[in-house]
Amino acid sequence: MAAGIQENIIRTEYSEIMQKSYIDYAMSVIIARALPDVRDGLKPVQRRTLYDMYELGIRYDRPYRKCARIVGDTMGKYHPHGDSSIYEALVVMAQDFKKGLPLVDGHGNFGSIEGDGAAAMRYTEARLQKITQEVYLKDMDKNVVDFVPNFDETEKEPAVLPVRIPNILVNGADGIAVGMATSIPPHNLGEVVDGVIAYMKNNQITTKELMKYIKGPDFPTGGIIVNKDDLLSIYESGTGKIKIRGKVETEKGKNGRTLLVISEIPYPMIGANIGKFLNDVAALVETKKTTDILDISNQSSKEGIRIVLELKKGADVENLTNMLYKKTRLEDTFGVNMLVVADQRPETLGLRQIIEHHVDFQFEVATRKYTSLLNKERENREIQEGLIRACDVIDLIIEILRGSKSREQVKNCLVNGVTEGIKFKTKTSMRQAAKLRFTERQATAILDMRLYKLIGLEVETLMAEHEETLKKITSYEDILNNYDSMAAVIMEDLKKIKKEYSHPRKTAVENAAEIIYEEKKVEETQVVFLMDRFGYARTIDTSAYERNKETADAENKYAFICMNTDKICVFTDAGRMHTVKVLDLPYGKFRDKGTPIDNVSNYDSKTEQIVLVAPLAQIKEEQLCFVTGKGMVKQVDGNEFEVSKRTIGATKLGEKDRVVMVQPAAAMEHLVLQTRDGYFLKFLKEEIPVQKKNALGVRGIRMGEQDLVEHAYMLENRIEYVITYREKQITLNKLKLAKRDTKGTKVRI
């Protein structure tokens, strides 16, 4: 170590370093990325993008500019993150189906309500909306907000925008931080303005009284909020769940059929969930949950949502509508969590608290604005008074100008009355000049004044301007010194904003009755289950099966009669049982292909093989015999498999073991196990214990370490079983009867 340099090693716990680092990271994500500021309702990326557009001069009354230019400039100056995050924020601010009040005017493909993404930023263009410029970015030149250094301290950016409406309520917000998330619904601009004005008139107003003005959220997609009574607790606590339903209307279609038209959707349905809704409705038709729908068509366009369901004649419209609310996302939930950054820390606020923060911010902005304006008018007054006084002694000033050698000499005379070095025509002029006491600012204005200002009309204009300046000073001082005056100015401003930019409410708010949907009882009937060797399953009518029985049995691995209300049990070599409702299987003609069993169950053909498919009605009436590759055997009562879950463990398996056989054991008298090395063991059914499904079983046959059970055969009384083993005919009934857990007999070839 170099002499003079003192070693300074700080020893600390690694866990403490990790904790501190993670907290720093979490706070950075919370404050600087994910959560909006309660004052302007914007996340940093939104604020920086809007400010950059303002700085680039991309105003509402000027041409559009490429989004790539906006994104690149924002990223280079203010937001050192990925360009995709900036462009996504820009796109969302332009989408009128996501924002109650779009802040960006997009030109080009900015995505659709159905989840289509926006075109690449090199194709799209944008500019500020008029409201953004007039309400969000106005007065930036009047020192109304603090400016802070950007990430590399080469630029200045606003810490917050001087937004004059509660944007956090009007546009809502959503974001996921570390360990917390925000979800604030959008509201109607006119209602929010009325609520703010009501609070300013009475800051003791309650949340319930505020809700006389702010009825509830107003989603850009419309819809109907059906739990009005829950809104009060949601607005008081800042958390809760809002139930929203789509708007359903009926129209007359062709041939006297009724059309069910969905013209408004729940806000959470926007995007890919519209496609999911259409698929869910199609699934209801395919699974015979309803037979009233003949056709589904999505006729939505830029004009709005229009999803049309064509119904058959005599359809129960009310019950079908209730089924759509119950079985699809036509009724959905919006989770409210009004988490924002307030005073540099995350906080969950209620409606009244948000408005309180907004009003405090407006008074702060107005104070800074009118202080700036007052200072400017005081400067104007000082200059105007100097010019008016100069007009009265203009001849003396001209004499000073003509007798001086430099601008500084003249200025020194006007400000301090210093006459040395100036040639005057008379001593009287010198004495008068020595009495001049203009201010620095007045002297500069006099020296910069042009001669035409001495015209009589110009002097009168100057006097009028002075009078106007005095009035403004009086007005600004009154606003700054009087709470009521400042409140009146803010309220007047809000009324103008409401008049120009508000729109009628789109979302209805009401208390609706709980949906009552009576599911039609399925008429119980016999069907035939068919599944081929490729795993395609279907059901057909029993008469169709009888007509084609020979072909059906030859072409299908499994074919049996079951009830349409039953379940099918699929046992696999992985020791699992998957269940499928018979009603979930396609029902059709004999030559229909069917659907893969993977599609209607949790069965995975890549990791497991089917060893038994049987109806639950048969399974639960019997005992099942299980045989595994490592020779474990047991019987299980079929009632254990009558469960509600779609997948359960059918048996417990040892390490690297697989199920070889599962079969109903009612008719079994003997069990024969055949191993890979050619050993056969025949023993009585009575030696196989009945155990629980989660039991491992008992050893059926003793084998070498590398040997495995390949096949198991169940022998019934008085039925001869002949198999071919390595081209040799073996009658299983003639095998020597032995005891379970013995080695068995090796078949010689």
Side-chain angles (χ1 to χ4, degrees), residues 250-254 256-260 309-312 317:
T250 55
E251 294 179 6
K252 290 287 183 183
K254 294 178 182 178
R257 291 188 179 129
T258 301
L259 300 180
L260 210 61
L309 309 181
E310 186 178 348
L311 310 183
K312 71 179 185 182
V317 176

Side-chain angles (χ1 to χ4, degrees), residues 81-304:
H81 300 284
D83 57 355
S84 58
S85 63
I86 300 172
Y87 184 51
E88 186 180 338
L90 180 67
V91 166
V92 170
M93 287 192 288
Q95 293 176 327
D96 57 4
F97 52 86
K98 281 191 179 176
K99 293 292 180 184
L101 204 64
L103 305 179
V104 172
D105 180 7
H107 184 240
N109 176 14
F110 274 78
S112 74
I113 193 170
E114 295 178 49
D116 302 316
M121 68 179 89
R122 60 182 178 275
Y123 301 120
T124 54
E125 298 176 328
R127 64 185 178 189
L128 292 171
Q129 291 276 15
K130 185 181 180 184
I131 188 170
T132 314
Q133 193 171 316
E134 297 294 326
V135 179
Y136 285 64
L137 294 159
K138 196 175 180 182
D139 299 327
M140 292 285 283
D141 57 339
K142 295 183 177 65
N143 189 35
V144 288
V145 292
D146 291 333
F147 277 75
V148 295
N150 69 337
F151 63 92
D152 61 0
E153 299 190 354
T154 58
E155 302 276 348
K156 291 279 190 179
E157 61 174 304
V160 65
L161 294 186
V163 182
R164 293 185 286 158
I165 57 173
N167 179 59
I168 197 76
L169 292 175
V170 173
N171 268 329
D174 62 89
I176 299 172
V178 178
M180 57 183 70
T182 185
S183 179
I184 303 171
H187 293 75
N188 184 272
L189 173 62
E191 292 181 6
V192 170
V193 166
D194 289 342
V196 173
I197 291 172
Y199 174 84
M200 292 179 71
K201 288 180 178 177
N202 172 22
N203 59 13
Q204 300 301 314
I205 192 170
T206 63
T207 303
K208 188 174 183 179
E209 289 169 335
L210 272 173
M211 288 182 65
K212 292 177 183 176
Y213 307 95
I214 303 172
K215 310 292 184 188
D218 187 23
F219 297 101
T221 52
I224 307 161
I225 293 171
V226 295
N227 58 333
K228 182 180 178 181
D229 285 348
D230 295 340
L231 292 180
L232 178 59
S233 65
I234 291 171
Y235 281 142
E236 283 183 335
S237 65
T239 59
K241 290 183 179 179
I242 296 172
K243 287 184 182 177
I244 321 165
R245 288 179 192 163
K247 188 176 181 182
V248 180
E249 299 165 332
T250 55
E251 294 179 6
K252 290 287 183 183
K254 294 178 182 178
N255 304 323
R257 291 188 179 129
T258 301
L259 300 180
L260 210 61
V261 180
I262 298 160
S263 55
E264 295 176 10
I265 58 173
Y267 187 66
M269 197 199 279
I270 60 175
N273 287 327
I274 292 179
K276 187 179 184 307
F277 168 75
L278 295 172
N279 290 336
D280 288 346
V281 175
L284 291 174
V285 176
E286 287 175 8
T287 56
K288 303 291 189 295
K289 292 282 172 59
T290 177
T291 56
D292 291 339
I293 300 174
L294 300 176
D295 185 49
I296 313 162
S297 61
N298 186 3
Q299 301 173 12
S300 304
S301 64
K302 288 184 178 179
E303 279 66 49

Side-chain angles (χ1 to χ4, degrees), residues 522-533:
V522 178
E523 186 179 343
E524 196 171 36
T525 182
Q526 278 190 338
V527 293
V528 177
F529 171 86
L530 300 175
M531 190 175 95
D532 62 22
R533 61 192 179 91

